[in-house]
Amino acid sequence: MRRLLFFMLGISMLFPATAQKKTSIHSETYTQWKSKSPIGISIYYDRRKYDHDYSIQTVIGYIPAQGYPFTTDQAGELLESYSRDYKIKKNITNTIRLQVDYWLFPFLNIYVLGGKIFDESKLNAALQINYIDLPPFSQSIKTDGWIYGCGTKSEFIYHHFKPQIEYTIYWNHFDEISNKSIFQTITPKLGYIATNNKNWIKNIEIYAGATYNHIKFKNHYAAYYDEPTLQQIFAEIHPSEEGPLLPHGGILDAIILKNIHDWNMTAGIEIEFCHHIHYKFETIFLGKETTISTGITYRLFGKK
């Protein structure tokens, strides 16, 4: 990961030298360089679907202990981490984010982002206790929270072609679950710009490239078996005993920790309208992440 970051940084440092040679000739093909609108305010909507199977590292589960009446103070019986199977599949997030960027130079942009995130995923588990298979466990998990991060991108234009590279790091903070996930993306791509200064559409850029994802995913979930399932579990483990169980007496506590490395393809279009308004649509596909992103940017303080 570090070698890749240094390699990408080295490429981005080559952009300024090339850009300085070409901007004097080709700056008129890109109105953002020509008008020097340094600050942009964007609103984006992102819908991401992760198809990774997040394998469990730690499972701590309790079902009612022997003896009645059962109380929440009793430790119960431990579901060991040799569980046969534990996965979170099809994790879907919807994000509404605000992004503010600043062009330090015509070839270098930095930005910060923050917004609201809504997460929906399905937890599937097949556990054992005393070498007895427990009933399959499945639960849909819905939560919301906040997203925040920062990034940078470097680009230049050569005869309407625009090589570019972008790096982003962001964190999710959910209100109802313990979450310490870190997401990093590196996206090299190549765009082509068609310029038209005769009407209200100024520039149309079409681009394609690849996205490298490095995800350190750590979530802490607490889930519950329902009462009929608990009755069934207790009857299998302690067939000679009878007694009532409290509702939701069984707790499944899970900590998921996994580093994910993945490449995806990316493609998109950006349209610049008059009065410094940009519309962007982007998609990520052909990998374990599928993303659709759309947003509008308004650039401030441009020179007419």
Side-chain angles (χ1 to χ4, degrees):
M1 178 62 183
R2 292 181 179 178
R3 293 180 180 178
L4 182 61
L5 287 174
F6 283 125
F7 174 72
M8 294 300 184
L9 180 61
I11 293 178
S12 65
M13 292 179 68
L14 293 176
F15 282 2
T18 310
Q20 288 174 350
K21 294 178 182 179
K22 301 299 180 182
T23 24
S24 59
I25 301 175
H26 300 287
S27 63
E28 68 277 2
T29 66
Y30 194 45
T31 59
Q32 181 170 291
W33 286 16
K34 185 177 180 181
S35 63
K36 299 185 184 302
S37 304
I39 300 176
I41 300 176
S42 307
I43 298 178
Y44 285 98
Y45 166 74
D46 308 318
R47 179 176 175 83
R48 289 188 174 92
K49 177 183 176 182
Y50 298 100
D51 290 326
H52 303 284
D53 291 337
Y54 300 115
S55 300
I56 193 69
Q57 179 176 356
T58 304
V59 176
I60 304 173
Y62 295 100
I63 65 170
Q66 277 186 287
Y68 291 96
F70 174 76
T71 68
T72 55
D73 295 332
Q74 289 179 274
E77 299 191 32
L78 178 65
L79 303 179
E80 301 290 349
S81 58
Y82 55 73
S83 60
R84 293 188 294 112
D85 187 25
Y86 187 103
K87 295 180 179 180
I88 289 186
K89 302 185 69 174
K90 296 182 179 179
N91 183 215
I92 298 174
T93 63
N94 292 281
T95 306
I96 300 174
R97 58 184 169 92
L98 178 68
Q99 182 169 307
V100 179
D101 71 90
Y102 180 74
W103 285 95
L104 290 174
F105 305 100
F107 49 81
L108 184 63
N109 180 273
I110 59 174
Y111 56 86
V112 294
L113 61 94
K116 188 71 174 176
I117 183 170
F118 303 88
D119 179 89
E120 180 179 352
S121 56
K122 187 174 183 179
L123 181 152
N124 296 316
L127 304 174
Q128 292 178 337
I129 184 170
N130 297 341
Y131 300 100
I132 297 175
D133 291 342
L134 302 185
F137 183 91
S138 180
Q139 176 173 320
S140 296
I141 300 171
K142 294 184 180 181
T143 184
D144 60 82
W146 302 94
I147 181 174
Y148 52 91
C150 59
T152 181
K153 66 178 179 180
S154 183
E155 62 183 38
F156 70 97
I157 294 176
Y158 182 78
H159 294 295
H160 294 278
F161 288 96
K162 186 169 74 170
Q164 50 196 304
I165 185 169
E166 184 171 359
Y167 169 76
T168 305
I169 180 171
Y170 63 93
W171 297 262
N172 295 338
H173 175 75
F174 293 109
D175 297 331
E176 298 178 2
I177 63 175
S178 176
N179 175 272
K180 294 182 180 179
S181 301
I182 301 175
F183 299 78
Q184 298 181 75
T185 63
I186 299 174
T187 306
K189 51 192 175 182
L190 177 65
Y192 180 82
I193 298 175
T195 303
N196 183 0
N197 291 318
K198 296 181 180 181
N199 54 34
W200 53 284
I201 296 179
K202 300 301 181 182
N203 291 297
I204 299 177
E205 177 192 353
I206 300 174
Y207 60 86
T211 298
Y212 170 74
N213 300 285
H214 179 260
I215 304 173
K216 187 174 183 180
F217 189 88
K218 183 177 181 180
N219 275 1
H220 180 188
Y221 292 99
Y224 303 89
Y225 280 108
D226 58 21
E227 185 176 2
T229 305
L230 287 174
Q231 296 278 7
Q232 180 183 350
I233 292 172
F234 192 86
E236 291 179 358
I237 298 174
H238 305 293
S240 61
E241 297 196 20
E242 296 180 359
L245 298 179
L246 292 180
H248 306 297
I251 300 174
L252 174 65
D253 228 3
I255 297 177
I256 301 151
L257 178 59
K258 186 177 181 181
N259 291 337
I260 298 170
H261 307 270
D262 185 31
W263 280 96
N264 302 87
M265 297 298 295
T266 183
I269 183 171
E270 183 171 347
I271 303 173
E272 180 184 359
F273 301 95
C274 56
H275 306 301
H276 312 288
I277 297 174
H278 295 242
Y279 169 76
K280 184 177 181 179
F281 176 85
E282 183 176 82
T283 181
I284 296 175
F285 56 98
L286 292 182
K288 293 186 177 181
E289 174 188 343
T290 303
T291 298
I292 295 176
S293 177
T294 183
I296 296 177
T297 301
Y298 182 78
R299 308 215 61 85
L300 304 174
F301 312 123
K303 296 180 181 178
K304 300 293 185 180

